[in-house]
């Protein structure tokens, strides 16, 4: 592989290495965070103990990719976002074309992957199928092969990049194949190598798209879910597994297994279920008054409002804003969209009055399911696979940079409860 992305990174990496080295050399003993007992028992929330330069989540702004708010990137293709995550710049036309050519060269999924997937139980979860396919492809890893041949540490990133491009090229085809196999949609659809990644993915899923808006929806979906800092479950898992120099196939599959959890990537289907239950109960889109009553009833019975609140954000998630805008532009009359829209008018005030949620505004999951549902993608269990195709970009760009910087194997210190008790005099 001698693509323009590799050339660009080769020019940047010496400077990045120097920067990291001099920071550690000059300031290695300075304190940037501390850990409380509550954090040690509570998921390390807020502990600053890893570096991630690809993206940042600002409580009052939302996701920022390399200094650019995600709301400014909604017209960009997923391939452009991968380039941005890795290099900090958007690609030129020539650079984009070059990267797309590399994806296309690896877009065909080998037959043995389909053999593996077809051998799985027919009720396997789509995420289990997706992740199994990635693991089965591990035999193709250039990183593992070159490591065995004695690759120099300084070259790790090149092999990681090569595996990443191969994986990103193949993922839409694998994901679409999982959809068609698992939900009995008929034969697989071959990739159209003249299309960009999002459009090709939409075409391979095989849903009717007479207006071309499903294609736009897939591009947007892949762009919006690309990355969310380094500490979330999938990114952090990929980081840890990759730090053992397990190759990108192992590391991404591991990260995606974390994404499959109900507290992480599975939340979007819960949100859509909530909206559909409302539609069922009120035989259509309820009025704002009815929604208000329903929300209070739910809160008073101790249940949360799905799609609202966030661990970090304290404003409307700009990714929700982007999905909401697409729905409003393409199908404002759709009842599911109308419920999402009315909830957005009603819920923040209800949650403010309720007084518990630190963030009363919608998160990305409040709107994404409605779009998928409208376009006929109604198999809820599949939604996390879409998320995974996108989030692989963030996981892989973080992994490539970590290999370039020679980041050490992850090994935080665990302590025993008795030690904590002794420390705090309990
Ligand atoms: N409805 C009702 N109560 C809510 C709430 C909501 N949407 N969001 C938070 N609260 C409550 C919490 O349950 C908590 O109550 P207790 O003190 O009784 O435990 C209190 O407000 C404080 O919580 P918080 O600090 O504001 O929120 P957390 O960081 O603990 O949790 C969650 C963040 C996203 C998990 C939470 O807001 C929630 O459960 N939302 C609904 C489910 C949802 O939308 N999940 C998708 C998250 C998007 C995402 O990150 N996907 O990957």
């Amino acid at each position: 592989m001698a693509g323009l992305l590799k050339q660009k990174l080769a020019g940047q990496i010496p400077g990045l290495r120097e920067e990291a080295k001099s920071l550690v050399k000059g300031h290695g003993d300075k304190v940037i965070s501390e850990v409380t007992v509550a954090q040690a028992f509570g998921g390390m929330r807020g502990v600053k103990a890893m570096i991630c330069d690809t993206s940042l989540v600002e409580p009052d702004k939302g996701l920022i990719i390399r200094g650019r708010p995600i709301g400014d990137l909604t017209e960009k293709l997923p391939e452009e976002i991968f380039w941005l995550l890795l290099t900090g710049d958007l690609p030129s036309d020539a650079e984009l074309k070059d990267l797309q050519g590399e994806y296309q060269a690896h877009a065909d999924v080998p037959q043995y992957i389909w053999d593996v997937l077809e051998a799985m139980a027919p009720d396997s979860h789509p995420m289990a199928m997706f992740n199994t396919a990635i693991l089965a492809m591990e035999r193709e890893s250039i990183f593992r092969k070159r490591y065995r041949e004695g690759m120099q540490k300084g070259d790790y990133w090149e092999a990681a990049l090569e595996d990443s491009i191969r994986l990103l090229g193949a993922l839409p085809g694998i994901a679409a194949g999982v959809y068609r196999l698992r939900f009995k949609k008929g034969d697989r659809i071959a990739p159209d190598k003249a299309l960009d990644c999002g459009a090709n993915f939409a075409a391979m899923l095989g849903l009717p798209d007479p207006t071309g808006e499903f294609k736009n929806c897939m591009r947007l979906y892949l762009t919006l879910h690309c990355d969310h800092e380094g500490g979330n479950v999938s990114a952090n898992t990929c980081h840890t597994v990759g730090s053992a120099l397990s190759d990108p196939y192992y590391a991404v599959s591991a990260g995606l297994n974390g994404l499959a959890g109900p507290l992480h990537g599975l939340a979007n289907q819960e949100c859509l279920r909530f909206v559909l239950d409302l539609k069922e109960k009120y035989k259509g889109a309820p009025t704002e008054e009815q929604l208000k009553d329903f929300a209070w009833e739910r809160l008073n019975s101790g249940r949360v409002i799905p799609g609202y609140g966030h661990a970090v954000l304290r404003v409307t998630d700009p990714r929700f804003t982007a999905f909401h805008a697409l729905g409003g532009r393409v199908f404002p009359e759709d009842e599911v969209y109308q419920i999402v829209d009315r909830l957005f008018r009603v819920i923040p005030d209800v949650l403010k009055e309720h007084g518990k949620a630190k963030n009363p505004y919608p998160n990305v999951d409040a709107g994404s399911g409605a779009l998928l549902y409208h376009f006929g993608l109604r198999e809820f269990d599949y939604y996390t696979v879409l998320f995974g195709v996108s989030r692989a970009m963030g996981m892989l760009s973080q992994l490539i940079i970590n290999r370039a910087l020679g980041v050490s194997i992850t090994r935080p210190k665990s302590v025993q409860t008795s030690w904590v008790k002794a420390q705090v005099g309990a």
Side-chain angles (χ1 to χ4, degrees), residues 366-385:
S368 58
L371 296 193
L372 301 174
Y373 193 81
H374 172 86
F375 288 114
L377 216 170
R378 297 186 172 184
E379 294 80 6
F380 293 6
D381 278 349
Y382 186 72
Y383 290 2
T384 316
V385 175

CSV table of all heavy atoms in Angstrom, one decimal, residues 366-385:
chain,number,residue,atom,x,y,z
A,366,ALA,N,-32.1,9.6,20.2
A,366,ALA,CA,-33.5,10.0,20.2
A,366,ALA,C,-34.0,10.2,18.8
A,366,ALA,O,-35.2,10.1,18.6
A,366,ALA,CB,-33.6,11.4,20.9
A,367,GLY,N,-33.1,10.3,17.8
A,367,GLY,CA,-33.6,10.6,16.4
A,367,GLY,C,-33.2,9.6,15.4
A,367,GLY,O,-33.9,9.4,14.4
A,368,SER,N,-32.1,8.8,15.6
A,368,SER,CA,-31.6,8.0,14.5
A,368,SER,C,-32.5,6.9,14.1
A,368,SER,O,-32.7,6.6,13.0
A,368,SER,CB,-30.2,7.4,15.0
A,368,SER,OG,-30.4,6.6,16.1
A,369,GLY,N,-33.2,6.2,15.1
A,369,GLY,CA,-34.0,5.1,14.8
A,369,GLY,C,-35.2,5.5,14.0
A,369,GLY,O,-35.6,4.7,13.1
A,370,ALA,N,-35.7,6.7,14.2
A,370,ALA,CA,-36.9,7.1,13.4
A,370,ALA,C,-36.6,7.2,11.9
A,370,ALA,O,-37.4,6.8,11.1
A,370,ALA,CB,-37.4,8.5,13.9
A,371,LEU,N,-35.4,7.6,11.6
A,371,LEU,CA,-35.0,7.7,10.2
A,371,LEU,C,-34.9,6.3,9.6
A,371,LEU,O,-35.4,6.0,8.5
A,371,LEU,CB,-33.6,8.4,10.1
A,371,LEU,CG,-33.4,9.8,10.5
A,371,LEU,CD1,-32.1,10.3,10.0
A,371,LEU,CD2,-34.6,10.7,10.0
A,372,LEU,N,-34.2,5.4,10.3
A,372,LEU,CA,-34.0,4.0,9.8
A,372,LEU,C,-35.4,3.4,9.6
A,372,LEU,O,-35.6,2.7,8.6
A,372,LEU,CB,-33.1,3.2,10.8
A,372,LEU,CG,-31.7,3.8,11.1
A,372,LEU,CD1,-31.0,3.0,12.2
A,372,LEU,CD2,-30.9,3.8,9.8
A,373,TYR,N,-36.2,3.6,10.6
A,373,TYR,CA,-37.6,3.0,10.5
A,373,TYR,C,-38.3,3.5,9.3
A,373,TYR,O,-38.9,2.8,8.5
A,373,TYR,CB,-38.3,3.3,11.8
A,373,TYR,CG,-39.6,2.6,12.0
A,373,TYR,CD1,-39.6,1.3,12.5
A,373,TYR,CD2,-40.8,3.1,11.6
A,373,TYR,CE1,-40.8,0.6,12.7
A,373,TYR,CE2,-42.0,2.4,11.8
A,373,TYR,CZ,-42.0,1.1,12.3
A,373,TYR,OH,-43.1,0.4,12.5
A,374,HIS,N,-38.2,4.8,9.0
A,374,HIS,CA,-38.9,5.4,7.9
A,374,HIS,C,-38.4,4.8,6.6
A,374,HIS,O,-39.2,4.5,5.7
A,374,HIS,CB,-38.7,6.9,7.8
A,374,HIS,CG,-39.2,7.5,6.6
A,374,HIS,ND1,-40.5,7.9,6.4
A,374,HIS,CD2,-38.6,7.7,5.4
A,374,HIS,CE1,-40.7,8.4,5.2
A,374,HIS,NE2,-39.5,8.3,4.5
A,375,PHE,N,-37.1,4.5,6.5
A,375,PHE,CA,-36.6,4.0,5.2
A,375,PHE,C,-36.8,2.5,5.1
A,375,PHE,O,-36.3,1.9,4.2
A,375,PHE,CB,-35.1,4.4,5.1
A,375,PHE,CG,-34.9,5.8,4.8
A,375,PHE,CD1,-34.3,6.7,5.7
A,375,PHE,CD2,-35.4,6.4,3.6
A,375,PHE,CE1,-34.1,8.0,5.4
A,375,PHE,CE2,-35.2,7.7,3.3
A,375,PHE,CZ,-34.6,8.6,4.2
A,376,GLY,N,-37.5,1.9,6.1
A,376,GLY,CA,-37.8,0.5,5.9
A,376,GLY,C,-36.8,-0.4,6.6
A,376,GLY,O,-36.9,-1.7,6.5
A,377,LEU,N,-35.8,0.1,7.3
A,377,LEU,CA,-34.8,-0.7,8.1
A,377,LEU,C,-35.5,-0.9,9.5
A,377,LEU,O,-35.3,0.0,10.3
A,377,LEU,CB,-33.5,0.0,8.1
A,377,LEU,CG,-32.3,-0.9,8.0
A,377,LEU,CD1,-31.0,-0.1,7.9
A,377,LEU,CD2,-32.1,-1.8,9.2
A,378,ARG,N,-36.2,-1.9,9.6
A,378,ARG,CA,-37.1,-2.1,10.8
A,378,ARG,C,-36.6,-3.2,11.7
A,378,ARG,O,-37.3,-3.6,12.7
A,378,ARG,CB,-38.5,-2.2,10.4
A,378,ARG,CG,-39.0,-1.0,9.7
A,378,ARG,CD,-40.4,-0.9,9.3
A,378,ARG,NE,-40.7,0.4,8.8
A,378,ARG,CZ,-41.9,0.8,8.5
A,378,ARG,NH1,-42.9,0.0,8.6
A,378,ARG,NH2,-42.1,2.1,8.1
A,379,GLU,N,-35.5,-3.8,11.4
A,379,GLU,CA,-35.0,-4.9,12.3
A,379,GLU,C,-34.1,-4.2,13.3
A,379,GLU,O,-32.9,-4.0,13.1
A,379,GLU,CB,-34.2,-5.9,11.4
A,379,GLU,CG,-35.0,-6.6,10.4
A,379,GLU,CD,-35.3,-5.8,9.1
A,379,GLU,OE1,-34.8,-4.7,9.0
A,379,GLU,OE2,-36.1,-6.3,8.3
A,380,PHE,N,-34.7,-4.0,14.5
A,380,PHE,CA,-34.0,-3.2,15.6
A,380,PHE,C,-32.6,-3.8,15.9
A,380,PHE,O,-31.7,-3.0,16.2
A,380,PHE,CB,-34.8,-3.1,16.8
A,380,PHE,CG,-36.1,-2.4,16.7
A,380,PHE,CD1,-36.5,-1.9,15.5
A,380,PHE,CD2,-36.9,-2.1,17.8
A,380,PHE,CE1,-37.7,-1.1,15.4
A,380,PHE,CE2,-38.1,-1.4,17.7
A,380,PHE,CZ,-38.5,-0.9,16.5
A,381,ASP,N,-32.6,-5.1,16.0
A,381,ASP,CA,-31.3,-5.7,16.4
A,381,ASP,C,-30.2,-5.4,15.5
A,381,ASP,O,-29.0,-5.6,15.9
A,381,ASP,CB,-31.5,-7.3,16.5
A,381,ASP,CG,-32.2,-7.7,17.8
A,381,ASP,OD1,-32.3,-6.9,18.7
A,381,ASP,OD2,-32.5,-8.9,17.8
A,382,TYR,N,-30.5,-4.9,14.3
A,382,TYR,CA,-29.4,-4.6,13.4
A,382,TYR,C,-28.8,-3.2,13.6
A,382,TYR,O,-27.7,-3.0,13.1
A,382,TYR,CB,-30.0,-4.7,12.0
A,382,TYR,CG,-28.9,-4.6,10.9
A,382,TYR,CD1,-28.0,-5.6,10.7
A,382,TYR,CD2,-28.8,-3.4,10.2
A,382,TYR,CE1,-27.0,-5.5,9.7
A,382,TYR,CE2,-27.8,-3.3,9.2
A,382,TYR,CZ,-26.9,-4.3,9.0
A,382,TYR,OH,-25.9,-4.2,8.1
A,383,TYR,N,-29.5,-2.4,14.3
A,383,TYR,CA,-29.1,-1.0,14.4
A,383,TYR,C,-27.6,-0.8,14.9
A,383,TYR,O,-26.9,0.1,14.5
A,383,TYR,CB,-30.0,-0.1,15.2
A,383,TYR,CG,-31.4,0.1,14.6
A,383,TYR,CD1,-31.7,-0.5,13.3
A,383,TYR,CD2,-32.3,0.9,15.2
A,383,TYR,CE1,-32.9,-0.3,12.8
A,383,TYR,CE2,-33.6,1.1,14.6
A,383,TYR,CZ,-33.9,0.5,13.4
A,383,TYR,OH,-35.1,0.7,12.8
A,384,THR,N,-27.3,-1.7,15.9
A,384,THR,CA,-25.9,-1.5,16.5
A,384,THR,C,-24.8,-1.9,15.4
A,384,THR,O,-23.7,-1.4,15.5
A,384,THR,CB,-25.8,-2.4,17.7
A,384,THR,OG1,-27.0,-2.2,18.5
A,384,THR,CG2,-24.6,-1.9,18.6
A,385,VAL,N,-25.2,-2.7,14.5
A,385,VAL,CA,-24.2,-3.0,13.4
A,385,VAL,C,-23.9,-1.8,12.6
A,385,VAL,O,-22.7,-1.5,12.3
A,385,VAL,CB,-24.7,-4.2,12.5
A,385,VAL,CG1,-23.8,-4.4,11.3
A,385,VAL,CG2,-24.9,-5.4,13.3
